[in-house]
Amino acid sequence: MFLESSPKPIDSSLQTSVDKLEKTSPGLSVIAARQFRYSLVQTGIELMVTSPRKFNVLEEFILRASLEITPNPTEVELAQVLGLDPIFVRNTSANLQALNTLKVLPDGSIQITPEGRAFYEKGSVPQPPESHPLYAIADPLLEATAFELNPLRESALNLPNLGDFLPLNSRIQSVESLTLTEVQQRLIHQGLGFHSPESGKEVTAFQIAEPPETRWQSVALFAIFDTLNQRLTLQLRRGQQLLESATLWLETLQSEGEISLTELLAIPCKESSPQENPEVEARLEQVRTAATTSEDNAEENTPETGSVILIAESQIQTQFLEILKTANHQVLIYLPQFTEQGIDDRLLQGLETLVKRGVWILMGQGTVSEKSSETPPILPEWLTKLAAIKTAEGLSAIQVVELQQSHAKEVVIDRQIYICSAHNWLTYGGDRLPQGETVYQVTLPEIVTDAYQSLSIQFQQRAESLWQQAISSQDESLATLSLSIWGGLGMAESALQQIQDQEWLELLPIWLKIACQGLRSQQLSPDDPSLNQALSQLSELTPDSPQLDSLCEAWRQVMAVIASGDRTLALNLLCEPVWQDFIRLGIASEAVESPDAFIDSELAKLAATVSSIQNLPLKKSKRHKSG
């Protein structure tokens, strides 16, 4: 019915992350999570890097002299000033010239260059360029090229190739197309230390050293549905890191219809979606709006005003079964279609426990066309399992009928709690994607009443239709089904009136069995006029009337159930004329001295029957594997 976790394409390696996300954000439902691999392009490059060093004493003297002495001195003159052999000055001058910091004029004098002036102000001189190996990694998802000191390890990664679904190649920038300035800026951004102009260390050139190679990287794609805002979002993640720019690009592709999410997320295509019922959808929209309001004003919600609670997806089945246990009188259930996955042992046991307490259960399924190629209406396995649940009087306790087609699951408990869920189908570029199971628990009186009236009217209309068919064909099984639906809706008096109007008195024993369950569910009061009306029918019967034996047994059961709740009311019903009819028809034996003695005897039988039923183990249904 309400599945604990709908079958969704989620990679097992991502399940922990999915559970964490849904637990911390109950309004979010991950409808798919899939891992991919995609190719990075690794290219070996060689950087040419210049690094400064401190001046030695002679270098500093020569550069300073070229700046401050006028006219410019020659190398020989500087050697004489220093008292050195000219060879030392010439060698140092040659080094400075090679570094483009000094030049010798035609007259033999020396002059500092603009570059030399800049280095002199910094107190350092550049060294000859050094070669440094580096690896450029072009990432199409990030649409960027990064640099690594070491090459990436080769890894096969046995995962689907994201490049088969997305145009990744168009986002790869070749390293050859990068300018020196772009390389320098990327090196600064990554903080690798090769290019640091403020310290004098600069990359002056780069070249391709190794041909491009493919390296595989894993990435995860999450499809997340916001159940409160009814919005689907996509996320590309690498571990815990959200790839924001890649996510925006993916959503743009998807919105423009450039990709198929059903293929990308490995979601089986659904040829047709459930038919949307406008009335039900309007009610669901009220629930969604109220859920958002309730979340914003959680402190103001009280049992008197009611609330709307979104049940966490992982807790859906457990919470539903717990809520179902609270039923005391009546449960109305609608499912778009019964499936083998919709029923399990826990649900069957829960329903059977309710029936033993006297709760009426009515179940409806959407009408399916005979021409439809889909599963036929109401699977026989369902009927067999549900029909096996009986009232204490042996009557089928759960009525299953076809109602109007709708896309939502709806349950109303005791006209006080409304549980609803819809597998809405999201349309994106022609894709049909299930959002997963979104279940709300509603106690807002207006919405609960609206839901109850909508379902109860459909059940009433179905009961009337079945009754007309039963009359036409004199089919007691159809008549019993329609009477049971009326009984489940608390319309026992209407059911009795139909029997009397058609003078179909053979159905009175069935009606009395229905009345027993109605008394237990407290939908039929012991002083209800219909009971006196049914008692008045006894005067029209004779000892040879058809179905008299079953009628007598049914009246004994009714009186016992009434007496178990209020002995005085039972005795009041057995007024003198009624008591005489009980004796005349054999409902009460002539050996029974009084109504008191009759009540004592029937109460003892009832106690023994109840004890016997309570001691019976609940039958476990066999599980059926889906084909």
Side-chain angles (χ1 to χ4, degrees), residues 350-362:
L351 295 177
E352 190 165 357
T353 299
L354 293 181
V355 168
K356 288 181 179 179
R357 295 211 310 263
V359 177
W360 273 113
I361 301 171
L362 299 180

Side-chain angles (χ1 to χ4, degrees), residues 260-323:
S260 168
L261 289 186
T262 51
E263 294 179 3
L264 187 61
L265 298 170
I267 297 176
C269 294
K270 186 173 181 67
E271 295 180 359
S272 61
S273 59
Q275 179 181 343
E276 185 175 290
N277 185 309
E279 177 188 348
V280 176
E281 182 55 31
R283 183 160 57 248
L284 290 179
E285 187 57 37
Q286 275 188 295
V287 171
R288 296 183 191 111
T289 302
T292 305
T293 305
S294 292
E295 188 175 75
D296 295 337
N297 305 308
E299 296 181 358
E300 301 177 12
N301 295 330
T302 65
E304 291 75 22
T305 60
S307 63
V308 177
I309 299 173
L310 174 64
I311 301 176
E313 188 168 4
S314 61
Q315 297 298 313
I316 288 175
Q317 189 180 49
T318 300
Q319 287 291 98
F320 171 67
L321 293 175
E322 287 300 314
I323 298 168

Side-chain angles (χ1 to χ4, degrees), residues 113-320:
T113 66
E115 291 87 347
R117 185 183 296 273
F119 280 110
Y120 179 77
E121 291 174 354
K122 296 178 182 178
S124 62
V125 292
Q127 297 186 87
E130 294 181 354
S131 173
H132 291 274
L134 202 63
Y135 296 90
I137 312 297
D139 189 324
L141 273 187
L142 301 182
E143 202 174 14
T145 298
F147 295 101
E148 298 290 341
L149 296 175
N150 300 306
L152 299 178
R153 292 183 302 174
E154 293 190 38
S155 176
L157 289 180
N158 186 23
L159 295 169
N161 185 359
L162 190 61
D164 293 339
F165 303 92
L166 304 180
L168 294 179
N169 290 336
S170 63
R171 292 168 61 86
I172 296 178
Q173 182 180 8
S174 65
V175 179
E176 293 92 334
S177 67
L178 293 176
T179 65
L180 178 60
T181 300
E182 289 174 327
V183 171
Q184 291 171 338
Q185 290 174 346
R186 282 170 168 76
L187 291 170
I188 292 174
H189 178 71
Q190 289 188 241
L192 295 180
F194 291 109
H195 188 73
S196 179
E198 65 277 3
S199 66
K201 190 174 185 178
E202 296 186 24
V203 173
T204 58
F206 77 95
Q207 62 183 12
I208 304 298
E210 297 177 12
E213 295 181 343
T214 297
R215 293 290 185 270
W216 294 104
Q217 172 71 54
S218 64
V219 67
L221 172 60
F222 284 65
I224 303 171
F225 191 79
D226 184 336
T227 55
L228 292 178
N229 297 310
Q230 295 290 289
R231 188 168 64 92
L232 178 73
T233 59
L234 303 174
Q235 289 186 1
L236 281 167
R237 291 173 172 266
R238 184 180 296 160
Q240 298 301 316
Q241 177 190 7
L242 173 64
L243 306 182
E244 295 184 3
S245 62
T247 293
L248 290 174
W249 173 65
L250 179 62
E251 289 189 329
T252 299
L253 288 178
Q254 191 279 321
S255 64
E256 294 174 353
E258 297 295 325
I259 56 175
S260 168
L261 289 186
T262 51
E263 294 179 3
L264 187 61
L265 298 170
I267 297 176
C269 294
K270 186 173 181 67
E271 295 180 359
S272 61
S273 59
Q275 179 181 343
E276 185 175 290
N277 185 309
E279 177 188 348
V280 176
E281 182 55 31
R283 183 160 57 248
L284 290 179
E285 187 57 37
Q286 275 188 295
V287 171
R288 296 183 191 111
T289 302
T292 305
T293 305
S294 292
E295 188 175 75
D296 295 337
N297 305 308
E299 296 181 358
E300 301 177 12
N301 295 330
T302 65
E304 291 75 22
T305 60
S307 63
V308 177
I309 299 173
L310 174 64
I311 301 176
E313 188 168 4
S314 61
Q315 297 298 313
I316 288 175
Q317 189 180 49
T318 300
Q319 287 291 98
F320 171 67

Side-chain angles (χ1 to χ4, degrees), residues 67-86:
L67 276 172
E68 297 179 355
I69 296 177
T70 304
N72 293 333
T74 65
E75 294 171 342
V76 174
E77 289 172 341
L78 290 178
Q80 291 173 347
V81 171
L82 295 172
L84 296 173
D85 189 317

Side-chain angles (χ1 to χ4, degrees), residues 360-363 378 383 395-396 398-402 459 462-464 466-467 469-470 475-488 507 510 514:
W360 273 113
I361 301 171
L362 299 180
M363 302 183 73
I378 311 180
L383 290 178
L395 191 68
S396 291
I398 302 176
Q399 315 310 318
V400 184
V401 295
E402 292 183 20
F459 279 113
R462 189 58 177 153
E464 291 167 2
L466 291 169
W467 180 251
Q469 294 177 44
D475 188 330
E476 286 195 12
S477 62
L478 284 179
T480 299
L481 177 56
S482 58
L483 293 174
S484 297
I485 295 172
W486 278 316
L507 294 176
I510 300 298
I514 293 170

